[in-house]
Amino acid sequence: TGNWSLGCIGWVIVIISGLFTTLLFPITIWFCLKIVQEYERAVIFRLGRITDRKAKGPGIFFILPCTDSFVKVDLRTVSFDIPPQEILTKDSVTVSVDGVVYFRVSDPIASVANVSNADFSTRLLAQTTLRNVLGTKNLSELLSDREGIAHSMQSNLDEATDNWGIKVERVEIKDVKLPHQLQRAMAAEAEASREARAKVIAAEGEMNASRALKEASLVIAESPSALQLRYLQTLNTIAAEKNSTIIFPLPMDIISHFMRK
């Protein structure tokens, strides 16, 4: 650890600081004791070197004045919005996409020693990762496979930030904004598709109805009394609607009989 690489001069300074702390114990105790919250950890530096492989906390810990300093690291999950990014998809469509990322510090020492600002670096990396991932997708994939895109972004971010002591927990695509001209074109395409399906359904209905009428005509042709029964059923339907005028159709053979006379 860092304690064994301080060198001779470093150890002399540490011993002098320890003696000074012991001699002025009632006063220096207030400078030696530090407290971090349950969700925090402290990375201690002794003469510029990390003293231990494990961060201190939570609770009370001890440092030497003049030689030791520490950095607090928050372990809680942090969320931030990815600003809207103008992205050119694989099929050359310009869209505006934004999202949200949830991450936390998993290794306090790495987040302090390996990167100058882990939070800011993760935010910048999320923006570039969003552009890189969506640039390989078509517009249809972008609109229909948001969950897969979010999972791919999370994997890429988590792998890239592993050396920084950052754990990316979740990535979500919030909104995909299309150009107004493209929205109108897609709406017209959807409307035309619905009209085509409606025409096909209507044509199938007409075809089924014509087949049913053909079968009914064959049944009526085989039995002349069926036509009279159908005629009476029609009169019953008209009477149920309370119409003031009822038209009685007469068979043609009766009319021709009177015309001969």
Side-chain angles (χ1 to χ4, degrees):
T1 61
N3 287 333
W4 299 104
S5 58
L6 294 177
C8 296
I9 297 177
W11 275 110
V12 170
I13 296 175
V14 170
I15 293 173
I16 293 174
S17 178
L19 292 176
F20 177 77
T21 303
T22 304
L23 294 176
L24 301 178
F25 178 73
I27 300 176
T28 55
I29 187 64
W30 305 106
F31 300 95
C32 296
L33 294 180
K34 301 295 179 180
I35 300 175
V36 292
Q37 304 297 329
E38 180 69 29
Y39 54 84
E40 294 176 332
R41 296 296 183 270
V43 180
I44 301 177
F45 292 87
R46 178 164 295 165
L47 296 178
R49 296 179 177 274
I50 298 177
T51 59
D52 199 353
R53 295 182 181 274
K54 184 178 180 181
K56 301 295 183 181
I60 300 175
F61 61 95
F62 178 83
I63 65 173
L64 290 175
C66 302
T67 61
D68 292 359
S69 61
F70 68 96
V71 177
K72 287 184 180 180
V73 179
D74 197 328
L75 301 183
R76 292 177 293 183
T77 299
V78 179
S79 63
F80 67 91
D81 292 329
I82 302 176
Q85 304 291 313
E86 294 289 339
I87 298 170
L88 185 65
T89 61
K90 188 177 180 180
D91 50 355
S92 301
V93 178
T94 302
V95 296
S96 178
V97 184
D98 58 355
V100 60
V101 177
Y102 299 86
F103 70 94
R104 61 178 175 84
V105 177
S106 60
D107 188 350
I109 295 179
S111 67
V112 173
N114 295 347
V115 62
S116 61
N117 191 329
D119 182 88
F120 183 70
S121 300
T122 303
R123 293 172 187 266
L124 290 181
L125 184 61
Q127 297 179 24
T128 56
T129 302
L130 178 65
R131 299 176 68 90
N132 293 336
V133 171
L134 296 184
T136 61
K137 303 292 183 180
N138 295 325
L139 180 61
S140 58
E141 296 175 347
L142 179 60
L143 296 176
S144 61
D145 192 21
R146 293 191 182 186
E147 184 177 354
I149 294 173
H151 181 71
S152 177
M153 281 190 59
Q154 178 184 351
S155 300
N156 293 342
L157 278 175
D158 196 23
E159 181 179 358
T161 58
D162 186 56
N163 293 331
W164 301 346
I166 299 295
K167 172 64 178 178
V168 179
E169 297 180 339
R170 191 177 183 88
V171 177
E172 293 291 341
I173 303 299
K174 290 176 58 178
D175 190 18
V176 178
K177 296 181 180 179
L178 303 177
H180 294 291
Q181 295 180 353
L182 182 59
Q183 292 181 12
R184 289 195 295 268
M186 294 178 66
E189 180 183 0
E191 183 178 359
S193 178
R194 287 194 297 268
E195 290 180 355
R197 288 197 299 268
K199 291 180 179 179
V200 170
I201 293 173
E204 291 178 353
E206 291 290 340
M207 182 178 62
N208 294 333
S210 62
R211 289 178 179 175
L213 290 175
K214 177 183 177 182
E215 294 177 359
S217 64
L218 293 176
V219 173
I220 292 175
E222 294 176 357
S223 177
S225 60
L227 181 61
Q228 186 67 21
L229 292 175
R230 181 59 182 165
Y231 167 68
L232 295 176
Q233 185 179 4
T234 303
L235 291 179
N236 185 27
T237 303
I238 296 174
E241 296 179 357
K242 298 181 181 180
N243 293 327
S244 59
T245 303
I246 299 178
I247 299 174
F248 292 93
L250 295 177
M252 291 299 297
D253 54 352
I254 297 177
I255 296 176
S256 61
H257 178 71
F258 286 103
M259 289 179 65
R260 293 192 193 98
K261 294 182 177 180

PDB file of all heavy atoms in Angstrom, residues 60-85:
ATOM      1  N   ILE A  60     -16.874   7.007  11.905  1.00  0.00           N
ATOM      2  CA  ILE A  60     -15.710   7.783  12.339  1.00  0.00           C
ATOM      3  C   ILE A  60     -14.424   7.110  11.863  1.00  0.00           C
ATOM      4  O   ILE A  60     -14.297   5.888  11.907  1.00  0.00           O
ATOM      5  CB  ILE A  60     -15.698   7.925  13.869  1.00  0.00           C
ATOM      6  CG1 ILE A  60     -16.967   8.632  14.345  1.00  0.00           C
ATOM      7  CG2 ILE A  60     -14.477   8.692  14.343  1.00  0.00           C
ATOM      8  CD1 ILE A  60     -17.094   8.703  15.854  1.00  0.00           C
ATOM      9  N   PHE A  61     -13.473   7.916  11.419  1.00  0.00           N
ATOM     10  CA  PHE A  61     -12.152   7.398  11.076  1.00  0.00           C
ATOM     11  C   PHE A  61     -11.109   8.436  11.508  1.00  0.00           C
ATOM     12  O   PHE A  61     -11.432   9.591  11.797  1.00  0.00           O
ATOM     13  CB  PHE A  61     -12.036   7.065   9.578  1.00  0.00           C
ATOM     14  CG  PHE A  61     -12.228   8.238   8.673  1.00  0.00           C
ATOM     15  CD1 PHE A  61     -11.140   8.955   8.190  1.00  0.00           C
ATOM     16  CD2 PHE A  61     -13.497   8.623   8.286  1.00  0.00           C
ATOM     17  CE1 PHE A  61     -11.312  10.033   7.354  1.00  0.00           C
ATOM     18  CE2 PHE A  61     -13.679   9.696   7.433  1.00  0.00           C
ATOM     19  CZ  PHE A  61     -12.592  10.409   6.982  1.00  0.00           C
ATOM     20  N   PHE A  62      -9.848   8.006  11.521  1.00  0.00           N
ATOM     21  CA  PHE A  62      -8.755   8.802  12.099  1.00  0.00           C
ATOM     22  C   PHE A  62      -7.761   9.176  11.014  1.00  0.00           C
ATOM     23  O   PHE A  62      -7.388   8.351  10.175  1.00  0.00           O
ATOM     24  CB  PHE A  62      -8.065   7.985  13.204  1.00  0.00           C
ATOM     25  CG  PHE A  62      -6.906   8.684  13.835  1.00  0.00           C
ATOM     26  CD1 PHE A  62      -7.100   9.607  14.847  1.00  0.00           C
ATOM     27  CD2 PHE A  62      -5.608   8.414  13.411  1.00  0.00           C
ATOM     28  CE1 PHE A  62      -6.015  10.255  15.436  1.00  0.00           C
ATOM     29  CE2 PHE A  62      -4.527   9.052  13.991  1.00  0.00           C
ATOM     30  CZ  PHE A  62      -4.729   9.982  15.007  1.00  0.00           C
ATOM     31  N   ILE A  63      -7.321  10.437  11.001  1.00  0.00           N
ATOM     32  CA  ILE A  63      -6.277  10.896  10.092  1.00  0.00           C
ATOM     33  C   ILE A  63      -5.234  11.672  10.893  1.00  0.00           C
ATOM     34  O   ILE A  63      -5.503  12.142  12.009  1.00  0.00           O
ATOM     35  CB  ILE A  63      -6.838  11.788   8.964  1.00  0.00           C
ATOM     36  CG1 ILE A  63      -7.411  13.087   9.540  1.00  0.00           C
ATOM     37  CG2 ILE A  63      -7.866  11.045   8.130  1.00  0.00           C
ATOM     38  CD1 ILE A  63      -7.814  14.080   8.472  1.00  0.00           C
ATOM     39  N   LEU A  64      -4.039  11.795  10.329  1.00  0.00           N
ATOM     40  CA  LEU A  64      -2.981  12.595  10.931  1.00  0.00           C
ATOM     41  C   LEU A  64      -3.019  14.013  10.364  1.00  0.00           C
ATOM     42  O   LEU A  64      -3.060  14.173   9.133  1.00  0.00           O
ATOM     43  CB  LEU A  64      -1.611  11.975  10.663  1.00  0.00           C
ATOM     44  CG  LEU A  64      -1.291  10.665  11.377  1.00  0.00           C
ATOM     45  CD1 LEU A  64       0.061  10.139  10.904  1.00  0.00           C
ATOM     46  CD2 LEU A  64      -1.286  10.859  12.885  1.00  0.00           C
ATOM     47  N   PRO A  65      -3.022  15.015  11.190  1.00  0.00           N
ATOM     48  CA  PRO A  65      -3.018  16.386  10.669  1.00  0.00           C
ATOM     49  C   PRO A  65      -1.695  16.686   9.952  1.00  0.00           C
ATOM     50  O   PRO A  65      -0.656  16.091  10.256  1.00  0.00           O
ATOM     51  CB  PRO A  65      -3.196  17.240  11.920  1.00  0.00           C
ATOM     52  CG  PRO A  65      -2.715  16.394  13.049  1.00  0.00           C
ATOM     53  CD  PRO A  65      -3.021  14.973  12.657  1.00  0.00           C
ATOM     54  N   CYS A  66      -1.750  17.592   9.018  1.00  0.00           N
ATOM     55  CA  CYS A  66      -0.606  18.072   8.248  1.00  0.00           C
ATOM     56  C   CYS A  66      -0.131  17.097   7.175  1.00  0.00           C
ATOM     57  O   CYS A  66       0.409  17.513   6.146  1.00  0.00           O
ATOM     58  CB  CYS A  66       0.584  18.432   9.144  1.00  0.00           C
ATOM     59  SG  CYS A  66       0.182  19.685  10.390  1.00  0.00           S
ATOM     60  N   THR A  67      -0.300  15.797   7.379  1.00  0.00           N
ATOM     61  CA  THR A  67       0.193  14.823   6.399  1.00  0.00           C
ATOM     62  C   THR A  67      -0.931  14.130   5.627  1.00  0.00           C
ATOM     63  O   THR A  67      -0.688  13.650   4.517  1.00  0.00           O
ATOM     64  CB  THR A  67       1.033  13.738   7.090  1.00  0.00           C
ATOM     65  OG1 THR A  67       0.215  13.044   8.043  1.00  0.00           O
ATOM     66  CG2 THR A  67       2.233  14.355   7.780  1.00  0.00           C
ATOM     67  N   ASP A  68      -2.103  14.052   6.227  1.00  0.00           N
ATOM     68  CA  ASP A  68      -3.206  13.318   5.609  1.00  0.00           C
ATOM     69  C   ASP A  68      -4.260  14.280   5.071  1.00  0.00           C
ATOM     70  O   ASP A  68      -4.525  15.335   5.657  1.00  0.00           O
ATOM     71  CB  ASP A  68      -3.870  12.370   6.610  1.00  0.00           C
ATOM     72  CG  ASP A  68      -2.954  11.223   6.997  1.00  0.00           C
ATOM     73  OD1 ASP A  68      -1.824  11.168   6.468  1.00  0.00           O
ATOM     74  OD2 ASP A  68      -3.357  10.405   7.839  1.00  0.00           O
ATOM     75  N   SER A  69      -4.864  13.886   3.969  1.00  0.00           N
ATOM     76  CA  SER A  69      -6.040  14.550   3.415  1.00  0.00           C
ATOM     77  C   SER A  69      -6.965  13.472   2.878  1.00  0.00           C
ATOM     78  O   SER A  69      -6.529  12.333   2.642  1.00  0.00           O
ATOM     79  CB  SER A  69      -5.656  15.528   2.303  1.00  0.00           C
ATOM     80  OG  SER A  69      -5.031  14.842   1.238  1.00  0.00           O
ATOM     81  N   PHE A  70      -8.214  13.813   2.697  1.00  0.00           N
ATOM     82  CA  PHE A  70      -9.153  12.794   2.231  1.00  0.00           C
ATOM     83  C   PHE A  70     -10.161  13.436   1.277  1.00  0.00           C
ATOM     84  O   PHE A  70     -10.397  14.642   1.286  1.00  0.00           O
ATOM     85  CB  PHE A  70      -9.871  12.118   3.404  1.00  0.00           C
ATOM     86  CG  PHE A  70     -10.821  13.010   4.142  1.00  0.00           C
ATOM     87  CD1 PHE A  70     -12.184  13.011   3.852  1.00  0.00           C
ATOM     88  CD2 PHE A  70     -10.357  13.858   5.144  1.00  0.00           C
ATOM     89  CE1 PHE A  70     -13.053  13.834   4.535  1.00  0.00           C
ATOM     90  CE2 PHE A  70     -11.228  14.671   5.838  1.00  0.00           C
ATOM     91  CZ  PHE A  70     -12.587  14.664   5.532  1.00  0.00           C
ATOM     92  N   VAL A  71     -10.759  12.558   0.457  1.00  0.00           N
ATOM     93  CA  VAL A  71     -11.777  12.961  -0.514  1.00  0.00           C
ATOM     94  C   VAL A  71     -13.022  12.130  -0.256  1.00  0.00           C
ATOM     95  O   VAL A  71     -12.940  10.895  -0.189  1.00  0.00           O
ATOM     96  CB  VAL A  71     -11.289  12.754  -1.962  1.00  0.00           C
ATOM     97  CG1 VAL A  71     -12.395  13.122  -2.958  1.00  0.00           C
ATOM     98  CG2 VAL A  71     -10.033  13.572  -2.229  1.00  0.00           C
ATOM     99  N   LYS A  72     -14.160  12.782  -0.111  1.00  0.00           N
ATOM    100  CA  LYS A  72     -15.424  12.078   0.082  1.00  0.00           C
ATOM    101  C   LYS A  72     -15.996  11.661  -1.268  1.00  0.00           C
ATOM    102  O   LYS A  72     -15.986  12.431  -2.229  1.00  0.00           O
ATOM    103  CB  LYS A  72     -16.430  12.968   0.805  1.00  0.00           C
ATOM    104  CG  LYS A  72     -16.143  13.177   2.285  1.00  0.00           C
ATOM    105  CD  LYS A  72     -17.258  13.987   2.917  1.00  0.00           C
ATOM    106  CE  LYS A  72     -16.996  14.208   4.401  1.00  0.00           C
ATOM    107  NZ  LYS A  72     -18.089  14.997   5.043  1.00  0.00           N
ATOM    108  N   VAL A  73     -16.507  10.447  -1.299  1.00  0.00           N
ATOM    109  CA  VAL A  73     -17.124   9.917  -2.519  1.00  0.00           C
ATOM    110  C   VAL A  73     -18.540   9.473  -2.176  1.00  0.00           C
ATOM    111  O   VAL A  73     -18.747   8.713  -1.223  1.00  0.00           O
ATOM    112  CB  VAL A  73     -16.313   8.736  -3.090  1.00  0.00           C
ATOM    113  CG1 VAL A  73     -16.990   8.196  -4.353  1.00  0.00           C
ATOM    114  CG2 VAL A  73     -14.893   9.169  -3.395  1.00  0.00           C
ATOM    115  N   ASP A  74     -19.509   9.941  -2.953  1.00  0.00           N
ATOM    116  CA  ASP A  74     -20.917   9.587  -2.756  1.00  0.00           C
ATOM    117  C   ASP A  74     -21.225   8.298  -3.510  1.00  0.00           C
ATOM    118  O   ASP A  74     -20.959   8.199  -4.711  1.00  0.00           O
ATOM    119  CB  ASP A  74     -21.820  10.716  -3.260  1.00  0.00           C
ATOM    120  CG  ASP A  74     -23.238  10.604  -2.730  1.00  0.00           C
ATOM    121  OD1 ASP A  74     -23.705   9.470  -2.524  1.00  0.00           O
ATOM    122  OD2 ASP A  74     -23.878  11.658  -2.514  1.00  0.00           O
ATOM    123  N   LEU A  75     -21.789   7.316  -2.809  1.00  0.00           N
ATOM    124  CA  LEU A  75     -22.079   6.014  -3.413  1.00  0.00           C
ATOM    125  C   LEU A  75     -23.510   5.892  -3.901  1.00  0.00           C
ATOM    126  O   LEU A  75     -23.891   4.844  -4.440  1.00  0.00           O
ATOM    127  CB  LEU A  75     -21.805   4.888  -2.402  1.00  0.00           C
ATOM    128  CG  LEU A  75     -20.383   4.795  -1.853  1.00  0.00           C
ATOM    129  CD1 LEU A  75     -20.271   3.582  -0.933  1.00  0.00           C
ATOM    130  CD2 LEU A  75     -19.365   4.714  -2.975  1.00  0.00           C
ATOM    131  N   ARG A  76     -24.333   6.915  -3.731  1.00  0.00           N
ATOM    132  CA  ARG A  76     -25.726   6.830  -4.151  1.00  0.00           C
ATOM    133  C   ARG A  76     -25.855   6.857  -5.679  1.00  0.00           C
ATOM    134  O   ARG A  76     -24.996   7.394  -6.383  1.00  0.00           O
ATOM    135  CB  ARG A  76     -26.528   7.980  -3.547  1.00  0.00           C
ATOM    136  CG  ARG A  76     -26.691   7.883  -2.037  1.00  0.00           C
ATOM    137  CD  ARG A  76     -27.425   9.086  -1.478  1.00  0.00           C
ATOM    138  NE  ARG A  76     -26.627  10.306  -1.625  1.00  0.00           N
ATOM    139  CZ  ARG A  76     -27.016  11.489  -1.164  1.00  0.00           C
ATOM    140  NH1 ARG A  76     -28.192  11.612  -0.549  1.00  0.00           N
ATOM    141  NH2 ARG A  76     -26.241  12.548  -1.323  1.00  0.00           N
ATOM    142  N   THR A  77     -26.958   6.281  -6.162  1.00  0.00           N
ATOM    143  CA  THR A  77     -27.215   6.272  -7.602  1.00  0.00           C
ATOM    144  C   THR A  77     -27.537   7.679  -8.089  1.00  0.00           C
ATOM    145  O   THR A  77     -28.343   8.390  -7.484  1.00  0.00           O
ATOM    146  CB  THR A  77     -28.379   5.323  -7.929  1.00  0.00           C
ATOM    147  OG1 THR A  77     -28.033   3.989  -7.531  1.00  0.00           O
ATOM    148  CG2 THR A  77     -28.682   5.335  -9.423  1.00  0.00           C
ATOM    149  N   VAL A  78     -26.896   8.061  -9.181  1.00  0.00           N
ATOM    150  CA  VAL A  78     -27.070   9.388  -9.764  1.00  0.00           C
ATOM    151  C   VAL A  78     -27.747   9.230 -11.126  1.00  0.00           C
ATOM    152  O   VAL A  78     -27.415   8.315 -11.896  1.00  0.00           O
ATOM    153  CB  VAL A  78     -25.712  10.100  -9.928  1.00  0.00           C
ATOM    154  CG1 VAL A  78     -25.898  11.481 -10.567  1.00  0.00           C
ATOM    155  CG2 VAL A  78     -25.024  10.228  -8.583  1.00  0.00           C
ATOM    156  N   SER A  79     -28.701  10.088 -11.409  1.00  0.00           N
ATOM    157  CA  SER A  79     -29.373  10.083 -12.710  1.00  0.00           C
ATOM    158  C   SER A  79     -29.156  11.426 -13.393  1.00  0.00           C
ATOM    159  O   SER A  79     -29.096  12.467 -12.733  1.00  0.00           O
ATOM    160  CB  SER A  79     -30.873   9.818 -12.550  1.00  0.00           C
ATOM    161  OG  SER A  79     -31.480  10.850 -11.795  1.00  0.00           O
ATOM    162  N   PHE A  80     -29.039  11.394 -14.702  1.00  0.00           N
ATOM    163  CA  PHE A  80     -28.895  12.633 -15.465  1.00  0.00           C
ATOM    164  C   PHE A  80     -29.497  12.433 -16.848  1.00  0.00           C
ATOM    165  O   PHE A  80     -29.553  11.313 -17.374  1.00  0.00           O
ATOM    166  CB  PHE A  80     -27.432  13.061 -15.575  1.00  0.00           C
ATOM    167  CG  PHE A  80     -26.573  12.148 -16.406  1.00  0.00           C
ATOM    168  CD1 PHE A  80     -26.412  12.361 -17.765  1.00  0.00           C
ATOM    169  CD2 PHE A  80     -25.918  11.079 -15.824  1.00  0.00           C
ATOM    170  CE1 PHE A  80     -25.622  11.530 -18.527  1.00  0.00           C
ATOM    171  CE2 PHE A  80     -25.127  10.234 -16.573  1.00  0.00           C
ATOM    172  CZ  PHE A  80     -24.973  10.460 -17.934  1.00  0.00           C
ATOM    173  N   ASP A  81     -29.970  13.533 -17.409  1.00  0.00           N
ATOM    174  CA  ASP A  81     -30.558  13.518 -18.744  1.00  0.00           C
ATOM    175  C   ASP A  81     -29.482  13.721 -19.797  1.00  0.00           C
ATOM    176  O   ASP A  81     -28.633  14.607 -19.664  1.00  0.00           O
ATOM    177  CB  ASP A  81     -31.615  14.615 -18.877  1.00  0.00           C
ATOM    178  CG  ASP A  81     -32.840  14.343 -18.013  1.00  0.00           C
ATOM    179  OD1 ASP A  81     -33.140  13.160 -17.815  1.00  0.00           O
ATOM    180  OD2 ASP A  81     -33.469  15.305 -17.543  1.00  0.00           O
ATOM    181  N   ILE A  82     -29.545  12.903 -20.833  1.00  0.00           N
ATOM    182  CA  ILE A  82     -28.679  13.113 -21.995  1.00  0.00           C
ATOM    183  C   ILE A  82     -29.333  14.182 -22.863  1.00  0.00           C
ATOM    184  O   ILE A  82     -30.484  14.025 -23.277  1.00  0.00           O
ATOM    185  CB  ILE A  82     -28.501  11.812 -22.792  1.00  0.00           C
ATOM    186  CG1 ILE A  82     -27.910  10.714 -21.906  1.00  0.00           C
ATOM    187  CG2 ILE A  82     -27.610  12.043 -24.000  1.00  0.00           C
ATOM    188  CD1 ILE A  82     -27.793   9.368 -22.607  1.00  0.00           C
ATOM    189  N   PRO A  83     -28.658  15.287 -23.133  1.00  0.00           N
ATOM    190  CA  PRO A  83     -29.271  16.335 -23.968  1.00  0.00           C
ATOM    191  C   PRO A  83     -29.658  15.780 -25.335  1.00  0.00           C
ATOM    192  O   PRO A  83     -29.075  14.810 -25.826  1.00  0.00           O
ATOM    193  CB  PRO A  83     -28.155  17.387 -24.085  1.00  0.00           C
ATOM    194  CG  PRO A  83     -27.233  17.104 -22.947  1.00  0.00           C
ATOM    195  CD  PRO A  83     -27.295  15.630 -22.703  1.00  0.00           C
ATOM    196  N   PRO A  84     -30.696  16.358 -25.956  1.00  0.00           N
ATOM    197  CA  PRO A  84     -31.106  15.888 -27.297  1.00  0.00           C
ATOM    198  C   PRO A  84     -29.936  15.927 -28.283  1.00  0.00           C
ATOM    199  O   PRO A  84     -29.239  16.934 -28.406  1.00  0.00           O
ATOM    200  CB  PRO A  84     -32.212  16.877 -27.690  1.00  0.00           C
ATOM    201  CG  PRO A  84     -32.736  17.394 -26.395  1.00  0.00           C
ATOM    202  CD  PRO A  84     -31.563  17.421 -25.456  1.00  0.00           C
ATOM    203  N   GLN A  85     -29.743  14.812 -28.969  1.00  0.00           N
ATOM    204  CA  GLN A  85     -28.639  14.671 -29.913  1.00  0.00           C
ATOM    205  C   GLN A  85     -29.186  14.533 -31.337  1.00  0.00           C
ATOM    206  O   GLN A  85     -30.082  13.714 -31.580  1.00  0.00           O
ATOM    207  CB  GLN A  85     -27.796  13.431 -29.575  1.00  0.00           C
ATOM    208  CG  GLN A  85     -27.245  13.405 -28.163  1.00  0.00           C
ATOM    209  CD  GLN A  85     -26.177  14.447 -27.947  1.00  0.00           C
ATOM    210  OE1 GLN A  85     -25.270  14.606 -28.743  1.00  0.00           O
ATOM    211  NE2 GLN A  85     -26.296  15.186 -26.850  1.00  0.00           N
TER     212      GLN A  85
END
